[in-house]
Amino acid sequence: MVILRNCSSSNPTVTPLHQSDHHSISFSLPLTPLPPSPPSTPTVMVRRNLRSLSPSSLASSVTASLPTLESFSNLPTDSASSTLSSSLSSALDSLCPLVSRQARSSPPSSWMSDPIRTNRASLRAAERKWRKSMAQSDLSAYQSMLATFSTAPKLIIIKQKFINLPLTVISCSPFSPLSSALLPHLSPPSLQMILQFSSMRKLQTSAAPSRPPPPFPTPPSVPSPCFSTFSPLTDSVSQLLLSHRPTTCALDPIPSSLLQTITPDILPYVTSLVNSLSSGCFPSSFKLAHITPLLKKPTLDPSVIQNYRPVSLLPFLSKTIERAASNQLSSFLSLNNLLDPYQSGFRPGHSTETALLSVNESLHAAQAASHSSVLILLDLSDTLWGSVAPH
């Protein structure tokens, strides 16, 4: 079978074969050479070989480049944060510099979907965890995930549908089903789109009409407790650094896992930086965030900027200082009973589940008392606010 597309044949001849029930078909085709394809630019990956880095050498290099603790404590907050960040980044660059290598460029499989890609990422994460720990439990978990991923019915069905894709002959476009299956994947947002997205967000923020703030409630006659200053921290800073997941963004001077490893050596400097809260100053460099636009839904058009949601990633030390301030503020509000009893957000032991249980219980109590209930929902900037008023 010969399928032609945008091509015409000439001089067809059919010759019967004596020893077969088939016929020999011959024809002429005008063949033109394809234009030369542009040279492909090789993909270059830049990475660090962190496995060859010794944490003790990194800690020694960082402490050697830092000033004395007394001099560091007397520095302004911005100077102290920049000094610590530059010492960390310069030590990492000297001991483990960036190395560039050419990466293999292979087109993505046309049958690959987002759920399969997510499952494959989880499988590779389990493999990396096993290769790093070499524990039998991690190996068993990886082998179990591998068997489940390879024999998943959905994966097998998707591959079969792609391989057995029917080729229907249509006069205008004989390869229309195949062409739809071979369409290129949606490319990620370009740098120009990201910049346009950021400028659009700024314009929307600046163009928002200014409204007068709501009037403050009448202060009570009894003086309320006052939170005047933050208390200096000592041993709890180490717990703040080590008890949270080491997430790393592009603004971190070194990977957060390495920062947690050398915490005992640089703990006095980090403690001095965290205690700058008592002076009412927050490091300016820690106020910057790495913003990545993500599609709100996979089915939305990636060429429309309004379909993206900004995701802000903060440096690890910035989140550490924020947690120190949040812990003291939360303790002050809880001890003085200043929190609303129905507040479920940003409180330990509370979540959206407790909020839904509270709303459900209020509705049931109102129904049992033969009252009517009015549920008011207000959606502002993807944040849902709700209240129940029984009558």
Side-chain angles (χ1 to χ4, degrees):
M1 181 179 62
V2 180
I3 301 178
L4 303 178
R5 183 179 184 182
N6 298 330
C7 183
S8 59
S9 61
S10 59
N11 303 325
T13 58
V14 180
T15 305
L17 301 179
H18 299 287
Q19 299 181 0
S20 174
D21 57 351
H22 296 276
H23 294 71
S24 174
I25 302 176
S26 63
F27 52 89
S28 300
L29 291 177
L31 300 179
T32 56
L34 295 176
S37 58
S40 60
T41 304
T43 304
V44 179
M45 295 182 59
V46 181
R47 59 184 295 271
R48 301 180 191 269
N49 188 12
L50 296 177
R51 294 184 178 179
S52 62
L53 178 62
S54 173
S56 58
S57 302
L58 178 63
S60 302
S61 178
V62 171
T63 53
S65 61
L66 286 172
T68 61
L69 182 59
E70 183 180 359
S71 302
F72 185 85
S73 302
N74 294 328
L75 292 175
T77 304
D78 291 342
S79 300
S81 61
S82 60
T83 300
L84 180 60
S85 299
S86 60
S87 299
L88 292 171
S89 59
S90 59
L92 183 63
D93 291 336
S94 61
L95 297 176
C96 187
L98 290 171
V99 178
S100 60
R101 65 181 181 88
Q102 185 173 348
R104 294 184 303 173
S105 58
S106 57
S109 302
S110 301
W111 52 267
M112 185 68 66
S113 60
D114 290 336
I116 298 178
R117 190 176 290 107
T118 302
N119 295 335
R120 189 178 65 174
S122 303
L123 178 64
R124 290 181 175 177
E127 181 184 4
R128 290 193 299 269
K129 183 179 179 181
W130 163 65
R131 294 187 181 278
K132 184 177 181 180
S133 64
M134 300 304 293
Q136 185 64 31
S137 59
D138 295 336
L139 175 60
S140 302
Y142 165 62
Q143 291 176 343
S144 176
M145 292 181 63
L146 179 61
T148 305
F149 178 77
S150 301
T151 59
K154 184 180 294 186
L155 177 64
I156 297 175
I157 292 174
I158 291 176
K159 281 188 175 182
Q160 288 177 350
K161 286 184 178 180
F162 176 77
I163 295 174
N164 300 329
L165 190 69
L167 292 177
T168 57
V169 180
I170 304 176
S171 59
C172 59
S173 179
F175 280 100
S176 58
L178 188 60
S179 301
S180 62
L182 298 179
L183 284 176
H185 287 266
L186 296 175
S187 58
S190 60
L191 178 60
Q192 182 179 4
M193 180 175 291
I194 294 176
L195 295 177
Q196 187 179 0
F197 174 80
S198 302
S199 61
M200 184 195 69
R201 298 282 299 184
K202 292 181 180 178
L203 289 176
Q204 289 180 353
T205 305
S206 60
S210 59
R211 298 180 180 178
F216 288 98
T218 305
S221 57
V222 180
S224 60
C226 178
F227 185 86
S228 58
T229 183
F230 290 95
S231 303
L233 303 179
T234 53
D235 299 335
S236 58
V237 177
S238 177
Q239 183 180 2
L240 287 174
L241 288 172
L242 300 177
S243 61
H244 289 83
R245 190 163 61 95
T247 56
T248 305
C249 75
L251 300 177
D252 283 306
I254 64 173
S256 302
S257 56
L258 283 178
L259 183 66
Q260 289 182 338
T261 305
I262 64 173
T263 290
D265 298 277
I266 63 172
L267 182 59
Y269 296 92
V270 179
T271 303
S272 175
L273 196 60
V274 171
N275 288 334
S276 62
L277 287 173
S278 58
S279 63
C281 296
F282 195 89
S284 300
S285 58
F286 292 165
K287 298 178 183 179
L288 301 178
H290 182 77
I291 300 178
T292 302
L294 295 181
L295 275 176
K296 297 179 181 179
K297 294 181 181 179
T299 56
L300 295 178
D301 186 4
S303 61
V304 180
I305 302 180
Q306 287 78 6
N307 294 338
Y308 287 89
R309 175 183 291 110
V311 178
S312 301
L313 303 178
L314 293 172
F316 185 73
L317 287 177
S318 174
K319 292 186 288 187
T320 302
I321 301 178
E322 286 185 356
R323 283 191 289 266
S326 176
N327 291 342
Q328 295 194 30
L329 287 174
S330 300
S331 300
F332 174 80
L333 295 175
S334 299
L335 291 175
N336 294 278
N337 298 323
L338 297 177
L339 292 175
D340 191 284
Y342 298 104
Q343 178 182 342
S344 291
F346 307 102
R347 293 183 66 182
H350 293 71
S351 63
T352 54
E353 183 178 359
T354 58
L356 290 175
L357 289 175
S358 176
V359 172
N360 191 30
E361 182 64 23
S362 299
L363 293 174
H364 280 297
Q367 184 180 9
S370 300
H371 292 167
S372 300
S373 300
V374 178
L375 181 64
I376 302 176
L377 300 176
L378 182 62
D379 190 1
L380 293 177
S381 301
D382 300 333
T383 303
L384 187 63
W385 301 83
S387 61
V388 178
H391 297 284

